[in-house]
Amino acid sequence: RLLKMEEFFPESFRLDLKDERNAFFELYKEDQIWICKPSGSNQGRGIFLLKNPAALNTLQATLHSTEEHLLRKRVSCKTPQARIVQRYIHRPLLLEGKKFDVRSYLLIACTAPYVLFFAQGYVRLTCVNYDAASDDLTVHLTNQYIQKKNSQYSQLKDETVWPMEHFNRYVNEKLRNIHGLPKDWVFTVFTKRMQQIMLQCFLAAKHKLDRKLGYFDLIGCDFLIDENFKVWLLEMNANPALHTNCQVLRDVIPTVVSESL
């Protein structure tokens, strides 16, 4: 069964498309949080939160100014970097009070014929406890590049990444009975959902892929679980970070690279 977008992807709008941009500005309400991020980037660069009308007005003014500049210069080929705004999931599931997401991998091993593989990745946690009202990006974004900006990162570095086995044990011991989950929910229900979402995204995009023998790509897929255990796809990265700056990453990343090759 194909999933509907709203079943796995937070409501999102492209700011480089006028109709979508206007639809978002009409939809926006003062008590909402949205996350604004550029496409084709990584490591959390250029991401910010829209939490109040002042931030929205600044964004509108910036977009308007950029458009006017391009019109004056008549350089339609140099359009600004595409951005999306995505509805922020403000009630995520927490691990020991901290926000987290899961990085897993989709390997497009071949495009002629299509061959796909899935690999478990790891859990990325924040250094500090979650607070939806906080303006500190290290509370909201879990990737290592952003977490390094937190003053506590050097002390807590190895606590910000969990292997999937640790995550599975935690859910079994602390959350399973409370929420009526099946045993090993992480490696059964959650994993199947990630694979289902990855496959559906691949099917939606495969017509855009060049089909040549020897072409392959390793995609980093980021998933968030909310407090109701609904699984959300946050993004898919064609250039996933392969740094090994803590023990869990030293265990996971080389294996993923080796098995991919």
Side-chain angles (χ1 to χ4, degrees), residues 145-180:
Y145 184 81
I146 294 292
Q147 289 305 306
K148 285 178 183 177
K149 298 179 180 181
N150 189 290
S151 59
Q152 298 183 51
Y153 178 77
S154 57
Q155 301 167 264
L156 302 173
K157 180 172 71 173
D158 284 310
E159 295 175 31
T160 62
V161 185
W162 286 7
M164 294 298 285
E165 292 79 11
H166 183 174
F167 179 36
N168 186 56
R169 282 196 305 274
Y170 184 92
V171 172
N172 277 343
E173 293 169 9
K174 304 283 182 69
L175 303 173
R176 181 187 165 204
N177 290 336
I178 301 171
H179 297 279

Side-chain angles (χ1 to χ4, degrees), residues 71 127 150 203:
L71 284 171
C127 291
N150 189 290
L203 293 174

